[in-house]
Amino acid sequence: MSIEFAILGFLTGGATSGYGLKKAFLDAEALHWSGNNNQIYKALVQLHHDGLASLAVRQPTDGPASKVYAITRKGRAALRDWLLTDPELPEFRMGILVRLMSADLLEPDELDGLLARYAEELRLKILGLEELQRRGRGPSFGATRQVFLWQAINRRPIALLRAEAEWVASLRRALGKQAKQESR
Amino acid sequence: MSIEFAILGFLTGGATSGYGLKKAFLDAEALHWSGNNNQIYKALVQLHHDGLASLAVRQPTDGPASKVYAITRKGRAALRDWLLTDPELPEFRMGILVRLMSADLLEPDELDGLLARYAEELRLKILGLEELQRRGRGPSFGATRQVFLWQAINRRPIALLRAEAEWVASLRRALGKQAKQESR
DNA sequence: CAAATCATGTAATGTGTTACATGATTCG
DNA sequence: CGAATCATGTAACACATTACATGATTTG
């Protein structure tokens, strides 16, 4: 699944520019795209070429010009068709697991230190996302149901990170107990 | 984080060939690499070139020849150094969330159908992983602690998929209630 | 006036997947 | 004898990130 459908998704909430989309992606952690220019501007050119997005150049008396894209009827149809195809399974990439597979090379205290740093990074990330959420980020367009769904989308990564933090905590407890048993 | 350290990790459990690693990656869902040749064989050439893995060609009287790689002292040191660097935060890519952001285009029953199909895919994936786990997959080398950690690694994706399934179920319930309220 | 923000784009590189290509051996 | 497995590798493409490049405007 490429970034195109995510862009079309944003455009269903109203026309915007490449720069606007960039910010939207940066805000929407759940969508996992970094919001880098290369993909967004290229994708917009493609969407316009395919007739899925229309383009209007906005030249305000002050401020820089921008290209404002809107979803077309054809774009809405393409998006709907895609929505009805089979959804992808989620992917979880956890670098920490790749580290754990080599933990044999670490002393118990080194391993616990690694997990402690991981737990701390998780904590900070969670705090950051919660702060963003409190400030009411993300589009809140559309019907009641859509607003509800956007909240669900924004909450999801926070919930997963919390679950990850709990997992690390329980793993550290288990490793602590094991160390005690070994030393007996 | 590239595949190199994952390969070195496997090699700490004993020397093996590219083909052996391929199978190991296919078995280890938690490591998320697909086990494709291109990455593995290229990475092994690189690791050997950098002196992190040693190479011995095994030519059995019957059966195809294979190149058996083992981790070197230098490789073990490099792996240990990496283990002590800051761990990466986990990444969760959930295509379903990209779909939900455009759900405005769907009727309630279409949306519920989408979520139902997602739930079913999750169920099947979970069953498959549980079956693999029952058959005792994955390396079980090293100390007691390492065996314990491998179990933790293998259990992790299953736990996450179960959590995802629960989330979908609760989302469907919430959407159902909402639909009732709207129609009142 | 310096830094941040608005706004568009390109280049280079890294990472990952699918498919292709080849050939021997083993097993039903 | 045909299919699966063992075993190595390449080609083409898809997806994603960082950094570079430019220039106007706004704000402290």
Side-chain angles (χ1 to χ4, degrees):
Chain A
M1 183 212 38
S2 55
I3 200 172
E4 264 90 356
F5 291 112
I7 290 178
L8 287 178
F10 276 123
L11 293 183
T12 58
T16 188
S17 64
Y19 188 75
L21 288 166
K22 185 193 173 94
K23 281 193 301 177
F25 277 115
L26 283 171
D27 259 13
E29 174 86 11
L31 269 33
H32 93 72
W33 279 286
S34 69
N36 72 100
N37 296 353
N38 210 345
Q39 271 182 297
I40 293 172
Y41 288 108
K42 271 197 170 72
L44 283 172
V45 167
Q46 186 63 42
L47 288 172
H48 182 235
H49 175 265
D50 295 346
L52 306 183
S54 67
L55 166 59
V57 177
R58 182 181 50 190
Q59 179 60 266
T61 47
D62 50 347
S66 65
K67 296 183 178 176
V68 177
Y69 293 87
I71 191 166
T72 61
R73 212 175 302 124
K74 193 175 167 190
R76 214 170 270 111
L79 182 52
R80 213 187 108 85
D81 284 350
W82 172 71
L83 280 177
L84 294 172
T85 62
D86 281 340
E88 308 79 11
L89 283 169
E91 277 173 59
F92 309 108
R93 353 195 120 186
M94 287 160 290
I96 192 73
L97 297 182
V98 181
R99 286 165 190 266
L100 289 184
M101 81 187 262
S102 306
D104 243 3
L105 300 180
L106 297 181
E107 297 299 318
D109 59 324
E110 289 173 323
L111 174 55
D112 190 65
L114 175 68
L115 292 175
R117 272 180 293 142
Y118 184 54
E120 179 59 11
E121 274 189 64
L122 286 171
R123 197 180 68 81
L124 292 176
K125 182 75 180 180
I126 291 167
L127 282 177
L129 288 182
E130 282 174 342
E131 180 59 24
L132 270 178
Q133 199 186 35
R134 226 172 291 121
R135 297 200 195 157
R137 72 212 163 95
S140 52
F141 58 85
T144 321
R145 189 187 63 173
Q146 190 56 53
V147 172
F148 170 80
L149 284 173
W150 257 110
Q151 287 167 0
I153 292 169
N154 282 327
R155 268 197 301 264
R156 194 77 190 109
I158 298 178
L160 284 170
L161 287 171
R162 285 211 191 104
E164 183 76 359
E166 275 170 46
W167 173 75
V168 187
S170 76
L171 183 59
R172 288 179 72 193
R173 281 194 300 273
L175 287 169
K177 271 185 202 166
Q178 212 188 39
K180 267 184 206 166
Q181 283 194 338
E182 296 264 311
S183 65
R184 253 191 290 163
Chain B
M1 181 213 38
S2 55
I3 201 172
E4 264 91 355
F5 291 111
I7 290 177
L8 286 178
F10 276 123
L11 293 183
T12 59
T16 187
S17 63
Y19 188 75
L21 288 166
K22 184 194 175 95
K23 281 192 301 177
F25 276 114
L26 282 171
D27 258 12
E29 174 85 11
L31 270 31
H32 91 74
W33 279 286
S34 69
N36 72 99
N37 297 353
N38 209 348
Q39 273 183 295
I40 294 171
Y41 287 107
K42 270 197 168 74
L44 283 172
V45 167
Q46 186 62 42
L47 288 172
H48 183 234
H49 174 266
D50 295 345
L52 307 183
S54 66
L55 166 58
V57 177
R58 182 181 50 189
Q59 180 60 269
T61 45
D62 50 349
S66 66
K67 296 181 178 178
V68 177
Y69 293 87
I71 191 167
T72 61
R73 213 175 304 123
K74 194 176 167 189
R76 215 171 269 112
L79 181 54
R80 215 187 106 85
D81 285 349
W82 172 72
L83 279 178
L84 294 173
T85 63
D86 281 340
E88 308 80 12
L89 283 168
E91 277 173 59
F92 309 108
R93 350 195 123 186
M94 287 160 290
I96 192 73
L97 297 182
V98 181
R99 286 165 191 266
L100 288 185
M101 81 189 263
S102 307
D104 244 2
L105 299 181
L106 296 182
E107 296 301 318
D109 60 324
E110 289 173 323
L111 175 54
D112 190 65
L114 176 67
L115 292 175
R117 270 180 294 140
Y118 185 53
E120 179 59 12
E121 273 189 65
L122 286 171
R123 196 180 68 81
L124 292 176
K125 182 74 179 182
I126 291 167
L127 281 177
L129 288 182
E130 283 174 342
E131 180 58 26
L132 269 178
Q133 199 186 35
R134 224 172 293 122
R135 296 199 195 157
R137 73 213 163 95
S140 52
F141 57 85
T144 321
R145 190 186 61 173
Q146 190 55 54
V147 172
F148 170 78
L149 283 174
W150 258 110
Q151 286 167 1
I153 292 168
N154 282 326
R155 269 197 300 264
R156 195 76 190 109
I158 298 178
L160 284 170
L161 287 171
R162 285 210 190 106
E164 183 75 359
E166 275 170 45
W167 172 75
V168 187
S170 75
L171 182 60
R172 289 179 71 192
R173 280 194 300 273
L175 286 170
K177 272 185 204 166
Q178 213 188 38
K180 267 184 208 167
Q181 283 193 337
E182 296 263 311
S183 65
R184 252 192 288 162

